[in-house]
């Protein structure tokens, strides 16, 4: 009986963690759409609506960002929520 109660509690806890993670990811996706030009362009191009986003697996419709894409569009990855004077770009090899 104790084992069954522990399993139920663990399952509930894991579900709570998943709900929390999805909520935080939803906020991040919306923030990216609203403040990062590259993400807004890509989300629109692929028909991804961040305001209807519910689960991480929905991100699979978007292309993976490669190092080359990042290098080519580096300025578009800068959030408009940051002050330009507080922003610096640091690339590694």
């Amino acid at each position: 009986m104790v084992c069954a109660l522990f399993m139920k509690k663990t399952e509930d806890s894991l579900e709570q963690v998943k709900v929390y993670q999805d909520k935080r990811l939803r906020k991040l996706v919306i923030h990216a759409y609203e403040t990062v030009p590259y993400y807004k362009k890509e989300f629109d191009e692929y028909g991804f609506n961040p305001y209807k986003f519910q689960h991480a697996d929905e991100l699979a419709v978007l292309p993976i960002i490669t190092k080359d894409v990042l290098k080519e569009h580096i300025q578009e990855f800068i959030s408009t929520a940051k002050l330009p004077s507080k922003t610096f770009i640091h690339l590694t090899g």
Side-chain angles (χ1 to χ4, degrees):
M1 181 68 170
V2 173
C3 185
L5 289 174
F6 176 76
M7 292 296 291
K8 175 68 175 145
K9 186 175 182 177
T10 301
E11 288 174 15
D12 289 347
S13 295
L14 291 175
E15 184 58 31
Q16 289 172 342
V17 168
K18 185 174 179 348
V19 168
Y20 174 78
Q21 288 175 331
D22 285 340
K23 181 179 176 181
R24 295 289 301 197
L25 185 56
R26 188 175 311 113
K27 289 175 84 170
L28 179 62
V29 166
I30 290 170
H31 175 76
Y33 181 77
E34 292 177 346
T35 68
V36 181
Y38 185 85
Y39 288 121
K40 179 170 181 18
K41 179 183 71 170
E42 289 292 298
F43 289 6
D44 289 345
E45 182 177 328
Y46 285 87
F48 180 82
N49 184 339
Y51 302 106
K52 292 183 178 180
F53 176 81
Q54 294 295 315
H55 305 286
D57 56 351
E58 295 172 29
L59 295 173
V61 301
L62 299 171
I64 294 174
I65 298 170
T66 64
K67 188 174 183 178
D68 290 337
V69 168
L70 184 59
K71 285 180 180 179
E72 187 176 330
H73 300 277
I74 191 71
Q75 292 298 322
E76 294 175 64
F77 280 97
I78 299 172
S79 172
T80 59
K82 299 292 180 195
L83 296 174
S85 63
K86 303 282 184 183
T87 304
F88 68 95
I89 297 172
H90 177 76
L91 302 175
T92 62

